[in-house]
Amino acid sequence: MTDHHLDDYRPIVGDQVIDELHVLADHVRHRRLQHINSTSVGGGVAEILTRMVPLLRDLGIDTTWDVIKGNQAFFAVTKAFHNALHGGKESITEEMLDVFRETTAMNLADLNDYGDVVIVHDPQPAGLIAKRPEVGGRWIWRCHIDVATPDPRVWNFLQKYVEGYDASMFSMPDFAQRLSIPQYMVPPSIDPLSDKNRDLTNDEVQAVVARYGLDPERPIVTQISRFDRLKDPLGVLAAYRLIRRRHDCQLLLAGGGATDDPEGEEVLNEVREAAGNDPDIHVLELPPFSDLDINALVRASTIVMQKSIKEGFGLTVTEALWKRKAVIGGAVGGIRLQLLDGVTGFLVHSPEGAANRAIDLLNDPELRQAVGDAGREHVRENFLTTRHMRDYLLLMLAMEHQGEELSVLTTR
Ligand code: UDP
């Protein structure tokens, strides 16, 4: 997990931020905090919890993390839910809803230890709320996905579970729903000291570049993402082909799978096929725990893309901004919180738009540096793990004082 202590973050975020965390922790230390999600590896939620759980413990908060179990059929259903909640067209059958209910029942029978405050992440484990009458505590449903325009059938199915919680948490106001429970807005975060984000020497970076067969002398345009259609890897390929008409560069599309995403292999095959035999297109399938390699590959990149069609937040954007990279992102979901267009990065709506921005950036090192520097400060202010911990501690406090008006926090 992590061998860092909160004090290690003082030089990055300042003393005041860390001191405040200690003050807040003093108020909630008597409460046990539990996180529950559906995968321990792959994807943004696992990424955040891997780093944050040990830091919360370091702060003296008794924090646990449980992962629900599910078979392939269950994760195929929840991936269809995921796509449908993102507004995609999916045919959801009664049998699929039954698979969800049955796996929920199995996990309810399996999991017997619950915290005083339980944060359940995303739709997959949402049904565990059925345990609440028996075990008590305060339950929060944490939604990481972009549910601005959900398929009503799937949302209505999920809503019945969600409204059993004490509160819900979304990454940005655009995702707020009509719900009978309070909704809190909490964006995700990255850990600046993790292997994914910590500083690397130039030698470390160049060693990884050489290992993956990239040319260090020529520009590299990169997208690091699970191979998922909503990340639009084919759109990135199309943009690359347009860029190449005007500017030399290499394209790096790198990503691995997540245990709760069964579609990865299919999409990877589509990408490989579309890439053809262009020696400047590098499609890398990364194994889990490739954090240092990903860190180095992003640092070696001239431009980072995240051309998502839907995106809850997009930690890959945060990770690239922290490394002072010029980022071009799809103008969707949480990417819009991070890329303030023309200031901390560029928002685009099409492969053509992405290509135009990329050409401008490839031709203008000063522009790359200016947006990269602004992006790093934007992340330091808003999207580091210390801010995220603060929000969770405040939420624990709010749960303790439920019913009292905390207007600063709630949108209701
Ligand atoms: N990631 C990774 N290996 C990969 C692809 C992605 O470790 O092969 C990481 C990436 O660096 C980021 C997270 O997984 O930390 C993805 O989070 P994001 O919010 O961008 O997207 P999600 O996968 O949750 O939709």
Side-chain angles (χ1 to χ4, degrees):
M1 285 222 169
T2 179
D3 47 7
H4 288 114
H5 298 285
L6 261 185
D7 279 342
D8 301 336
Y9 294 75
R10 286 183 187 273
I12 300 169
V13 295
D15 289 335
Q16 201 185 335
V17 169
I18 304 300
D19 293 344
E20 188 187 16
L21 283 176
H22 284 287
V23 171
L24 281 170
D26 285 344
H27 291 281
V28 293
R29 207 162 273 139
H30 54 294
R31 296 283 176 220
R32 198 150 69 85
L33 174 63
Q34 179 182 28
H35 290 276
I36 304 177
N37 82 324
S38 62
T39 179
S40 58
V41 185
V45 182
E47 180 79 22
I48 292 167
L49 291 178
T50 303
R51 303 297 300 179
M52 195 197 275
V53 167
L55 286 173
L56 284 164
R57 287 183 188 147
D58 190 48
L59 200 51
I61 311 287
D62 182 0
T63 311
T64 54
W65 173 13
D66 289 284
V67 177
I68 59 160
K69 296 193 188 81
N71 59 17
Q72 244 185 340
F74 174 71
F75 287 123
V77 169
T78 56
K79 183 70 203 262
F81 280 15
H82 179 91
N83 291 338
L85 289 168
H86 271 126
K89 291 262 163 295
E90 292 282 336
S91 92
I92 307 288
T93 62
E94 200 48 44
E95 289 73 44
M96 291 165 82
L97 301 182
D98 282 341
V99 168
F100 184 86
R101 293 187 189 104
E102 281 154 22
T103 307
T104 298
M106 189 192 77
N107 280 298
L108 281 165
D110 247 30
L111 193 59
N112 284 310
D113 190 27
Y114 290 90
D116 302 310
V117 175
V118 184
I119 302 183
V120 174
H121 297 260
D122 284 338
Q124 299 92 327
L128 291 181
I129 189 64
K131 201 77 172 190
R132 197 204 141 155
E134 184 189 323
V135 299
R138 300 295 192 201
W139 287 61
I140 300 150
W141 184 63
R142 203 306 180 219
C143 180
H144 293 268
I145 58 188
D146 174 347
V147 285
T149 52
D151 173 321
R153 180 147 182 258
V154 175
W155 176 252
N156 291 342
F157 175 75
L158 196 62
Q159 186 171 354
K160 295 194 182 74
Y161 295 109
V162 170
E163 292 196 328
Y165 285 75
D166 293 278
S168 57
M169 210 191 305
F170 296 87
S171 293
M172 65 189 292
D174 299 38
F175 304 161
Q177 298 291 323
R178 282 189 187 284
L179 285 173
S180 58
I181 57 172
Q183 302 175 55
Y184 297 90
M185 299 303 142
V186 177
S189 63
I190 60 162
D191 183 338
L193 296 181
S194 67
D195 281 347
K196 181 76 66 61
N197 297 308
R198 69 177 167 82
D199 289 342
L200 297 179
T201 63
N202 193 41
D203 285 352
E204 287 174 302
V205 172
Q206 290 313 323
V208 174
V209 167
R211 182 146 48 79
Y212 285 107
L214 292 152
D215 180 351
E217 304 300 328
R218 295 166 54 222
I220 304 173
V221 176
T222 298
Q223 175 160 301
I224 309 257
S225 268
R226 288 180 298 105
F227 286 98
D228 180 324
R229 291 188 187 94
L230 293 178
K231 310 285 183 186
D232 199 19
L234 295 180
V236 178
L237 260 171
Y240 159 79
R241 293 207 161 101
L242 293 169
I243 300 167
R244 279 298 296 259
R245 293 186 192 169
R246 307 260 300 278
H247 208 293
D248 180 39
C249 69
Q250 306 161 81
L251 176 67
L252 171 61
L253 286 171
T259 52
D260 60 352
D261 176 6
E263 283 178 344
E265 209 169 294
E266 202 179 304
V267 178
L268 177 59
N269 288 337
E270 287 169 15
V271 170
R272 286 220 161 103
E273 197 172 319
N277 52 10
D278 182 336
D280 285 329
I281 301 179
H282 300 258
V283 180
L284 300 182
E285 192 181 3
L286 297 172
F289 311 113
S290 299
D291 290 9
L292 273 175
D293 283 7
I294 291 175
N295 186 343
L297 290 170
V298 171
R299 285 180 192 279
S301 302
T302 319
I303 291 173
V304 171
M305 289 217 189
Q306 188 57 58
K307 226 204 83 40
S308 305
I309 293 165
K310 286 277 178 176
E311 191 63 76
F313 186 67
L315 284 176
T316 50
V317 172
T318 336
E319 289 160 4
L321 291 178
W322 183 245
K323 299 173 184 74
R324 298 182 193 276
K325 290 294 149 184
V327 181
I328 298 170
V332 292
I335 294 179
R336 288 177 301 132
L337 282 182
Q338 304 188 64
L339 301 183
L340 310 177
D341 198 27
V343 181
T344 63
F346 291 98
L347 294 171
V348 295
H349 299 85
S350 63
E352 291 77 10
N356 279 333
R357 286 301 187 194
I359 292 162
D360 288 349
L361 284 163
L362 286 169
N363 284 325
D364 191 344
E366 279 172 21
L367 179 62
R368 292 203 300 273
Q369 180 155 7
V371 289
D373 288 348
R376 177 159 169 120
E377 287 318 303
H378 189 44
V379 172
R380 193 199 307 278
E381 284 292 311
N382 300 294
F383 306 123
L384 293 184
T385 193
T386 39
R387 192 277 307 148
H388 204 172
M389 289 168 71
R390 171 177 166 272
D391 287 348
Y392 278 4
L393 295 176
L394 279 168
L395 195 61
M396 288 175 78
L397 206 56
M399 290 293 102
E400 190 125 4
H401 296 273
Q402 224 176 3
E404 298 168 34
E405 198 54 52
L406 285 165
S407 55
V408 181
L409 284 172
T410 176
T411 60
R412 246 204 336 179

